[in-house]
Amino acid sequence: MAYSGIDDELVDDINNLDAKCLDFINTKMLTITVVSSLIKRKNVDVIIKGLAKLKNRDFFVRIIGDGEEKIYLQQLVSDYSLENNIKFLGDIKRKEVFNYLKKSSVFILLSENETFGLSYLEAMAAMNIVIGARNDGIDGILKHGENTFLISRSEDELCECIEKILEMNKDELESMYLNIKSTIKSLRQSDAAKNYLKNLQYICLFYNIVLTDKEE
């Protein structure tokens, strides 16, 4: 497999987020980021409905992105009286997205037909605990219960997963954060590029193709 990588700069910065992780361990202050096009297959409505099922939990959500379902999703937030808990930020620059990720503790994306999904990895590089969709493009790199949580696109299961995260003890959370770090450090963009080249050279050798300097 030739996996995509994430910016080396983000990987190098990951150790600077230890204080953020410690803060969540100690406070369990639930701040959530959702980065997604607001279209049907992204299932942002499932996220809102799942959050509405949380009982006696304080949380704050930033939804970053835009799309044809925005008005429907805003109405859903209003229907559940979650206007003080969920804010829509619209489309913003990528660097600014990462700044928001560094301020949140949990990242959620439950889209269908997702490919590799670099947004998952960028969220992990910002030391977010990721909740993703089971049996989709990122499944395999993300391992349920080790470096992430993978669930069905179910509002009930999402609610249960968030409750589970909030009930994790110090040792469990520290183990999760260590696994997140290890995963991200193995997926540097520079290493991915070397892997691409290695695979290309192998294919060329197998099919007796000679690369010119320009192709290299």
Side-chain angles (χ1 to χ4, degrees), residues 64-136:
I64 299 172
D66 209 342
E68 60 193 33
E69 290 218 319
K70 184 174 183 178
I71 294 176
Y72 160 64
L73 296 171
Q74 288 175 324
Q75 183 59 52
L76 204 58
V77 167
S78 178
D79 291 343
Y80 286 111
S81 300
L82 292 174
E83 295 95 333
N84 292 330
N85 303 87
I86 300 177
K87 301 298 179 185
F88 292 84
L89 302 186
D91 282 327
I92 60 178
K93 294 180 179 179
R94 188 175 180 182
K95 185 174 182 180
E96 194 174 348
V97 171
F98 194 74
N99 287 335
Y100 280 117
L101 286 170
K102 289 197 291 186
K103 297 175 184 177
S104 67
S105 51
V106 174
F107 173 86
I108 308 174
L109 182 60
L110 300 178
S111 54
E112 298 175 41
N113 301 318
E114 192 69 51
T115 55
F116 186 68
L118 277 176
S119 56
Y120 290 110
L121 301 184
E122 289 177 349
M124 292 171 71
M127 294 307 288
N128 281 249
I129 296 173
V130 167
I131 301 175
R134 189 184 301 127
N135 299 323
D136 223 316

Side-chain angles (χ1 to χ4, degrees), residues 2 191-204 211 215-216:
D191 291 336
K194 291 175 185 176
N195 191 40
Y196 288 159
L197 182 59
K198 179 181 177 182
N199 287 328
L200 181 60
Q201 290 171 332
Y202 174 79
I203 292 169
C204 290
L211 288 176
E215 288 169 329
E216 290 177 339

Side-chain angles (χ1 to χ4, degrees), residues 15 34 37-38 56 59-62 67 76 80-81 101 104 109 148 151-152 161-162 175 177 192-193 196-197 201-202:
N15 289 329
V34 177
S37 299
L38 305 185
N56 302 316
F59 63 89
F60 183 73
V61 185
R62 296 182 182 94
L76 204 58
Y80 286 111
S81 300
L101 286 170
S104 67
L109 182 60
T148 190
I151 63 173
S152 66
C161 183
I162 294 173
S175 177
Y177 284 132
Y196 288 159
L197 182 59
Q201 290 171 332
Y202 174 79

